[in-house]
């Protein structure tokens, strides 16, 4: 009788051990699946935010190669204040980036967050052109929109710091002085290409050094 009892006990213990192992394996499996799902969720949530940060870094360093990896087939830049927007091809946007680089821009992210599949940011920018025209950084809020995690639209929704009256006054003063004194540089505002940007920069230099 004791022999039979010992067999039953041994069998019960082995069964319990196997069940415990199965339970542990199930818990580990569920945990791993949950972790992977969570990680995938975090990747989806941060991809756009990371892309936006790389976009501003590429602007800050005038890195056209990096910029091309971030854009869709084209990009729309919209100015809500003027109800104006312009569509650039990928190549067209790098040409604009070359123009922007002439003035040695400094972009700074003041605020940034991802919300409802878009990235919202508060940005400041100063460069030689902006300093001449407004004497201070321009600060604005904008929304970056995506298609398949590629940037397809940047929408400036509100300026927080931008003295438009001073900007226009100083720009007109510069244009009129250049037309009168250095007509070889006339037409330096457009198109926004590197060579024209160099004329713009030269115009500012001549104006600042006039006697």
């Amino acid at each position: 009788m004791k022999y039979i009892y010992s067999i039953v006990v041994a069998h019960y213990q082995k069964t319990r051990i196997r069940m415990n192992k199965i339970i542990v394996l199930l818990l580990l499996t569920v945990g791993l699946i949950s972790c992977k799902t969570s990680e995938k969720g975090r990747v989806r949530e941060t991809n756009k935010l990371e892309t936006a940060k790389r976009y501003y870094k590429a602007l800050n360093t005038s890195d056209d190669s990096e910029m091309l990896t971030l854009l869709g087939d084209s990009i729309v830049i919209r100015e809500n204040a003027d109800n104006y927007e312009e569509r650039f091809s990928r190549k067209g946007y790098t040409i604009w980036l070359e123009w922007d680089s002439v003035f040695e821009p400094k972009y700074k992210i003041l605020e940034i967050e991802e919300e409802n599949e878009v990235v919202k940011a508060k940005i400041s920018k100063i460069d030689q052109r902006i300093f001449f025209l407004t004497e201070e950084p321009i600060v604005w809020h904008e929304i970056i929109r995506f298609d398949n995690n590629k940037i397809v639209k940047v929408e400036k929704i509100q300026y927080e710091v931008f003295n438009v009256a001073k900007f226009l006054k100083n720009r007109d003063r510069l244009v009129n002085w250049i037309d009168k004194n250095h007509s070889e540089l006339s037409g330096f505002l457009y198109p926004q290409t590197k060579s024209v940007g160099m004329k713009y920069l030269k115009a500012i230099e001549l104006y600042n050094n006039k006697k």
Side-chain angles (χ1 to χ4, degrees):
M1 188 69 179
K2 289 182 179 180
Y3 174 73
I4 295 174
Y5 175 77
S6 63
I7 292 175
V8 171
V9 169
H11 177 73
Y12 170 76
Q13 289 176 339
K14 289 180 180 179
T15 302
R16 187 176 64 180
I17 291 171
R18 285 199 298 270
M19 289 300 296
N20 287 341
K21 288 182 178 180
I22 291 172
I23 291 171
V24 170
L25 286 173
L26 286 172
L27 290 174
L28 288 173
T29 301
V30 170
L32 288 172
I33 292 173
S34 297
C35 288
K36 289 181 179 179
T37 302
S38 177
E39 288 174 1
K40 288 180 180 179
R42 285 197 294 270
V43 169
R44 284 196 298 271
E45 290 172 2
T46 60
N47 265 349
K48 292 181 175 63
L49 191 60
E50 182 63 28
T51 298
K53 290 179 179 179
R54 288 171 59 196
Y55 169 75
Y56 291 118
K57 183 177 180 180
L59 286 175
N60 200 44
T61 58
S62 304
D63 189 341
D64 55 351
S65 297
E66 170 71 354
M67 185 64 75
L68 287 175
T69 69
L70 306 174
L71 302 181
D73 293 336
S74 63
I75 181 172
V76 172
I77 305 297
R78 177 172 176 79
E79 294 272 358
N80 281 5
D82 299 327
N83 193 29
Y84 171 80
E85 66 181 38
E86 184 173 359
R87 180 179 296 275
F88 293 88
S89 66
R90 289 159 55 84
K91 178 62 177 177
Y93 199 61
T94 60
I95 291 173
W96 175 86
L97 191 63
E98 289 177 347
W99 171 84
D100 193 48
S101 71
V102 169
F103 307 102
E104 300 180 345
K106 297 299 178 187
Y107 292 82
K108 186 176 181 180
I109 300 173
L110 303 179
E111 299 174 6
I112 192 166
E113 64 176 349
E114 183 180 343
E115 181 180 312
N116 297 328
E117 300 300 318
V118 303
V119 170
K120 297 181 177 180
K122 178 180 176 182
I123 304 299
S124 74
K125 178 186 180 183
I126 188 69
D127 61 25
Q128 295 183 58
R129 180 183 67 97
I130 291 172
F131 183 77
F132 173 81
L133 296 173
T134 68
E135 302 174 6
E136 63 183 351
I138 295 176
V139 179
W140 68 89
H141 296 263
E142 66 185 13
I143 295 176
I144 299 181
R145 304 187 187 278
F146 301 82
D147 183 15
N148 291 326
N149 288 320
K150 297 291 186 179
I151 296 173
V152 295
K153 188 173 185 179
V154 178
E155 183 177 351
K156 291 184 179 178
I157 57 176
Q158 179 184 359
Y159 284 97
E160 187 167 307
V161 179
F162 184 23
N163 191 327
V164 179
K166 180 184 283 189
F167 179 96
L168 295 175
K169 179 181 179 180
N170 286 336
R171 190 184 67 178
D172 291 345
R173 183 181 296 167
L174 177 63
V175 168
N176 293 334
W177 187 84
I178 288 295
D179 287 347
K180 182 178 179 180
N181 297 281
H182 293 277
S183 58
E184 72 277 8
L185 294 177
S186 293
F188 60 82
L189 295 180
Y190 300 101
Q192 292 176 327
T193 61
K194 185 173 183 177
S195 60
V196 177
M198 295 297 292
K199 292 172 63 176
Y200 201 150
L201 194 62
K202 183 64 176 179
I204 293 173
E205 178 186 346
L206 290 170
Y207 185 88
N208 284 335
N209 294 330
K210 73 181 188 300
K211 295 181 180 180

